[in-house]
Amino acid sequence: MELEDESYDFVVVANRLPVDSVTEADGTKGWKLSPGGLVTALEPVMRSADGAWIGWPGAADTHVDPFEHDGITMVPVSLDQTEVERYYEGFSNDTLWPLYHDVIAQPSYHREWWDSYVSVNRRFADRAASLASHGAIVWVHDYQLQLVPGMLREKRPDLTIGFFNHIPFPAYGLYSQLPWRRQILTGLLGADVIGFQRTADAGNFARAVRRLFGYETRGSSIRVPLEDGAERRSRHSRTVVARAFPISIDSASFADLAARPDVVERARQIREDLGNPKTILFGVDRLDYTKGIRHRLKAYAELLQDGRLDASETTLIQVASPSRERVAAYMELRDEIEMTVGRINGDYGSIGSAPVHYLHHGYPREEMVALYLASDVMLVTALRDGMNLVAKEYVASRIDGDGVLILSEFAGASDDLRQALLINPHDIQGVKEAIVTAVEMEPRDRKRRMRALRRKVIENDVAKWSATFLEELRRASHAGTAADTPEHETTDPQETNA
């Protein structure tokens, strides 16, 4: 496919392509669509709007020409090994990720990582600029590509640009540590609409803009002057919308899977294989220090030690899918988790029975839904999470109306799922009490809570999320550049001097 001959009215820019490379039985290589809410939400839009998806294929030094898969044009952006180490593993996942997750782990600040981040963001922006038709909509996704909107705005002011941040945006006291804090904000403000998971995240972003630039913010609107430097309070400006658009899941597909006889049978088999315990607790996460896996294991171990849970009647299944295994903090976390699991099983297990079943690999969606159906209590103990879609997947899968969700108040999902048992995962005693409450909860109360949770997840699915964001983006496109901006300063003069 010749890029020069193609242009698209809708372009998605994300760190990864929504496909994985596969090798067929006959040895030929091909692609399969990755499971995930984002591609599910955007797939119909991509097809109807003549769309292209720009992203990295997922392996270093992979050079692939643009191709079509399931009616979507895929445009690969290659990264060499050094860029994977500096832009992706370095700046994205060892600088921004810990900083944006409340410094649960200490961020690392290296100038060569930043240089690589700028360079790779420029490559993505250039590719988007070359593909987008005049007046096209470009939707950029996530923390790896925060400079792309500003770079695109410089090259293609005719475009309507959206950005969605899938992870939290930190409070100013943390964000201000970033040596390149102004450059990141400038990049994001190149968008017409900036979406966040939670209202608090949008507020943190607006506060950082006021503190560092002194721009006027009112509600979800930010006035960005078209001139630079001393002319920043000129009457000519553009309005950027920055507000919460909480992401969700394809709830209908999970409900459909949960109704399949083979999945229901698999759920029954899982319980039988575990010896039909009275209670199955379940946690599934990427192996990441933000997920609070250590905290739930500690609470569970103490409940066994206290005798409030019986290891012969209770089983915890912990699925921890591999994540960023070349980053030191993740290697240390895996060692610690596996040592803790071994200690719990050694202290409280017996021949043929283990209180913790720890699984360090991912599973296909059908197996996950079977696990959701087999589990009595879902444990989501994130220390900080933009949303946490696992909580919503569990609820969507419980078509039987049963099951109890224990949910961290520091996950974005807690804003909607108020009928869950909400916890502060740092409060181990509180986590223990919530687990006991869940285990002992009356069936009537379980069903009442799950009914309310399911209503929320079904009404606010991923299709509604994407439609809401794109509608806001189209409004921004029609509004165009604002003129005659009121000439007054931020109400907090101290913020403009930061």
Side-chain angles (χ1 to χ4, degrees), residues 40 248-258 365 392-393 395-399 454-463:
T40 302
S248 193
I249 61 168
D250 181 9
S251 50
S253 71
F254 281 90
D256 289 345
L257 277 174
R365 183 173 290 187
K392 297 187 175 185
E393 291 175 4
V395 169
S397 300
R398 295 311 302 240
I399 59 174
R454 284 183 53 75
R455 192 179 307 119
K456 277 284 187 182
V457 171
I458 291 168
E459 288 174 357
N460 299 301
D461 66 359
V462 73

Side-chain angles (χ1 to χ4, degrees), residues 283-304:
V284 55
D285 315 85
R286 282 189 310 101
L287 189 60
D288 192 289
Y289 48 75
T290 65
K291 302 300 183 181
I293 300 172
R294 289 175 289 201
H295 297 64
R296 83 182 60 144
L297 288 174
K298 182 175 177 60
Y300 181 52
E302 288 190 10
L303 286 170
L304 295 175

Side-chain angles (χ1 to χ4, degrees), residues 80-125:
D80 63 32
Q81 186 59 47
T82 299
E83 288 169 334
V84 171
E85 292 171 2
R86 293 181 177 180
Y87 148 77
Y88 181 66
E89 294 173 350
F91 196 79
S92 294
N93 292 324
D94 208 10
T95 299
L96 293 176
W97 180 270
L99 179 67
Y100 281 32
H101 286 84
D102 291 355
V103 192
I104 294 168
Q106 189 62 36
S108 300
Y109 303 114
H110 298 294
R111 284 168 289 183
E112 63 271 21
W113 290 1
W114 166 252
D115 292 341
S116 183
Y117 186 81
V118 173
S119 174
V120 172
N121 272 245
R122 176 70 66 187
R123 190 176 311 145
F124 276 86

Side-chain angles (χ1 to χ4, degrees), residues 450-475:
M450 186 55 70
R451 190 161 54 244
L453 292 171
R454 284 183 53 75
R455 192 179 307 119
K456 277 284 187 182
V457 171
I458 291 168
E459 288 174 357
N460 299 301
D461 66 359
V462 73
K464 184 176 179 179
W465 166 77
S466 63
T468 303
F469 188 95
L470 289 170
E471 180 56 36
E472 186 74 62
L473 208 47
R474 292 186 183 102
R475 275 200 293 269

Side-chain angles (χ1 to χ4, degrees), residues 115-407:
D115 292 341
S116 183
Y117 186 81
V118 173
S119 174
V120 172
N121 272 245
R122 176 70 66 187
R123 190 176 311 145
F124 276 86
D126 288 346
R127 187 59 59 90
S130 70
L131 287 172
S133 60
H134 183 80
I137 288 178
V138 179
W139 193 357
V140 185
H141 287 269
D142 226 357
Y143 64 105
Q144 301 97 341
L145 300 173
Q146 293 176 103
L147 302 180
V148 169
M151 293 171 170
L152 265 179
R153 178 72 53 194
E154 289 178 5
K155 292 179 73 76
R156 294 287 305 276
D158 61 292
L159 299 175
T160 300
I161 304 168
F163 181 90
F164 187 77
N165 197 55
H166 292 255
I167 68 173
F169 193 90
Y172 182 75
L174 294 176
Y175 181 76
S176 62
Q177 297 176 23
L178 184 65
W180 307 278
R181 58 195 185 181
R182 294 177 67 92
Q183 293 95 315
I184 293 288
L185 293 186
T186 298
L188 292 172
L189 289 170
D192 296 287
V193 178
I194 308 170
F196 298 92
Q197 298 281 26
R198 309 181 81 169
T199 300
D201 297 327
N204 288 342
F205 174 76
R207 195 167 298 111
V209 169
R210 291 197 304 270
R211 293 288 297 265
L212 292 171
F213 295 127
Y215 295 166
E216 177 194 356
T217 65
R218 181 172 296 173
S220 61
S221 297
I222 301 173
R223 293 288 195 180
V224 180
L226 297 180
E227 292 80 7
D228 296 324
E231 300 300 318
R232 69 180 184 178
R233 294 187 181 88
S234 163
R235 294 174 65 84
H236 299 290
S237 68
R238 41 184 289 271
T239 299
V240 174
V241 173
R243 71 176 184 86
F245 298 85
I247 198 170
S248 193
I249 61 168
D250 181 9
S251 50
S253 71
F254 281 90
D256 289 345
L257 277 174
R260 270 177 32 185
D262 60 318
V263 175
V264 174
E265 171 58 23
R266 176 60 185 146
R268 187 200 64 77
Q269 185 66 48
I270 288 169
R271 292 194 73 99
E272 187 174 301
D273 290 346
L274 292 172
N276 285 313
K278 181 180 178 182
T279 304
I280 295 178
L281 311 173
F282 185 39
V284 55
D285 315 85
R286 282 189 310 101
L287 189 60
D288 192 289
Y289 48 75
T290 65
K291 302 300 183 181
I293 300 172
R294 289 175 289 201
H295 297 64
R296 83 182 60 144
L297 288 174
K298 182 175 177 60
Y300 181 52
E302 288 190 10
L303 286 170
L304 295 175
Q305 181 180 24
D306 298 344
R308 299 181 70 186
L309 290 182
D310 186 335
S312 66
E313 297 182 342
T314 309
T315 297
L316 168 62
I317 303 173
Q318 176 61 58
V319 174
S321 57
S323 174
R324 301 166 189 165
E325 296 198 299
R326 289 159 49 96
V327 177
Y330 290 79
M331 292 188 283
E332 293 169 7
L333 176 65
R334 178 178 179 179
D335 290 343
E336 183 180 347
I337 295 298
E338 292 179 354
M339 188 180 302
T340 302
V341 169
R343 186 181 303 119
I344 295 172
N345 285 338
D347 288 346
Y348 305 106
S350 59
I351 294 174
S353 174
V356 181
H357 289 261
Y358 173 76
L359 306 159
H360 182 58
H361 48 85
Y363 286 98
R365 183 173 290 187
E366 291 84 355
E367 183 73 359
M368 289 307 306
V369 172
L371 284 162
Y372 291 145
L373 287 173
S375 303
D376 302 289
V377 180
M378 184 78 211
L379 295 168
V380 178
T381 56
L383 307 181
R384 190 78 162 93
D385 220 336
M387 178 53 59
N388 194 287
L389 297 179
V390 162
K392 297 187 175 185
E393 291 175 4
Y394 179 71
V395 169
S397 300
R398 295 311 302 240
I399 59 174
D400 59 353
D402 208 350
V404 182
L405 173 63
I406 294 177
L407 177 59

